[in-house]
Amino acid sequence: MYTDPENKLKYRKVSPFEGVQLLARWFLGKLYGQVVQKNVFVKESTSSSSSSSSSSSSSSSSSSSSSKVANVGAVVITEKDKYNINVFIEMLTAVCSVYYEIGKEVNTSNLNFSSGVPKIEVTPDEASFIAQYNHVSHAIRVRYSYIKDKLESYANAWKEFKNLSKKNHLSAVEYARLKAPFWEFIGRQIPASTIIHELQHALFKNSHRDGDSHGNFTFSIDGTTHTSVPFEKTCEVVYDVIASRGLWMRIAKIVALL
Ligand SMILES: [Zn+2]
């Protein structure tokens, strides 16, 4: 059995300022799904080095000449940025993997855990939303422009979470919930954090562009049927069931081995 610290401290308090920001992000980021401009990642220096990462499927950061930097749509990143993007993807992938692992252990209907963990991508494209699940590619794409100022703090906090996990799982989980900056992106909040929101789209197999993707949904989980529940509430219901089965303790156990 996993102990369940999540149940003791479900909500992390956010300041009024953070709250306003979160709501603004939710409205601006979640309601509209237009890609404003296609971009590509371009490395800051022209020195050749490692092959491009999995950070984006549609763009390559390799071997761009400096003249290309001047092209419209080039998003210049340093080696450090690229590293932080990869840590960010590792973090999201770890959380999503355990989320799905636990989801498959619970009795559910109308929740699509069986299709596997969505691919996580960071894209340089400009868009009016932070992240978007695409049901065709079964991928969650996060816009670099929205996270670039926070990537370093997310990556450092994830490293700290990993270090703590190697010593004590519980203290790692408490760090994640109470102190880690990445919690706003992947943790339990109201409104739902970005990744929980997008995972819920994946579980319902709908994208932001699919009609009323934030309408009401009927599903069952862990023996309870939830009828015609607003999308935002479905995020909380599913997250809470998975958290109550030790989501974060299991993440800590896994990353302790990384
Ligand atoms: Zn949405």
Side-chain angles (χ1 to χ4, degrees):
M1 285 299 286
Y2 294 101
T3 54
D4 176 26
E6 276 96 329
N7 264 354
K8 292 176 195 145
L9 268 169
K10 261 189 181 159
Y11 303 99
R12 164 159 156 193
K13 277 198 167 171
V14 297
S15 68
F17 178 68
E18 270 183 303
V20 168
Q21 276 195 319
L22 286 167
L23 279 170
R25 251 182 21 186
W26 188 82
F27 280 112
L28 292 173
K30 306 283 171 55
L31 292 181
Y32 311 105
Q34 295 291 330
V35 171
V36 178
Q37 181 178 307
K38 281 278 187 190
N39 287 330
V40 291
F41 281 130
V42 176
K43 269 202 263 176
E44 184 183 48
S45 78
T46 54
S47 60
S48 64
S49 67
S50 61
S51 60
S52 71
S53 68
S54 61
S55 59
S56 171
S57 63
S58 67
S59 61
S60 165
S61 59
S62 61
S63 68
S64 296
S65 69
S66 54
S67 63
K68 271 193 175 174
V69 174
N71 286 351
V72 173
V75 174
V76 180
I77 56 170
T78 63
E79 274 299 321
K80 180 79 176 167
D81 295 329
K82 192 175 154 191
Y83 171 79
N84 287 333
I85 289 170
N86 286 335
V87 173
F88 180 77
I89 290 172
E90 175 197 295
M91 175 179 82
L92 262 57
T93 303
V95 172
C96 295
S97 299
V98 179
Y99 205 80
Y100 269 65
E101 186 182 289
I102 295 175
K104 282 189 211 164
E105 296 165 6
V106 184
N107 279 329
T108 61
S109 67
N110 292 337
L111 291 173
N112 187 37
F113 282 108
S114 60
S115 66
V117 183
K119 188 172 190 303
I120 304 293
E121 297 169 353
V122 173
T123 165
D125 294 344
E126 277 300 327
S128 56
F129 48 87
I130 304 166
Q132 182 197 33
Y133 170 71
N134 183 301
H135 69 273
V136 177
S137 57
H138 191 46
I140 293 172
R141 302 190 110 196
V142 180
R143 310 291 149 179
Y144 176 71
S145 59
Y146 283 95
I147 58 166
K148 64 180 180 184
D149 295 337
K150 296 184 171 184
L151 265 179
E152 179 106 44
S153 67
Y154 288 169
N156 288 339
W158 182 246
K159 277 182 268 179
E160 175 69 8
F161 176 73
K162 280 163 78 172
N163 287 337
L164 288 169
S165 295
K166 293 178 201 304
K167 298 172 198 152
N168 182 307
H169 299 142
L170 185 57
S171 57
V173 172
E174 301 218 318
Y175 167 75
R177 190 176 23 242
L178 299 175
K179 292 183 182 162
F182 60 64
W183 191 259
E184 66 182 13
F185 206 91
I186 61 180
R188 169 67 152 99
Q189 310 185 134
I190 295 174
S193 65
T194 302
I195 204 66
I196 303 304
H197 180 106
E198 298 307 328
L199 281 177
Q200 196 64 21
H201 280 304
L203 293 172
F204 286 140
K205 281 188 179 169
N206 71 3
S207 304
H208 283 149
R209 289 178 187 169
D210 298 346
D212 190 9
S213 60
H214 296 139
N216 289 359
F217 294 84
T218 296
F219 65 99
S220 69
I221 185 165
D222 206 19
T224 304
T225 297
H226 302 269
T227 306
S228 199
V229 178
F231 182 86
E232 192 63 28
K233 181 71 184 167
T234 71
C235 299
E236 295 170 28
V237 170
V238 173
Y239 182 92
D240 285 347
V241 168
I242 289 175
S244 73
R245 294 186 173 232
L247 171 68
W248 279 91
M249 284 298 275
R250 211 185 287 194
I251 293 169
K253 284 178 187 178
I254 286 171
V255 303
L257 304 174
L258 292 179

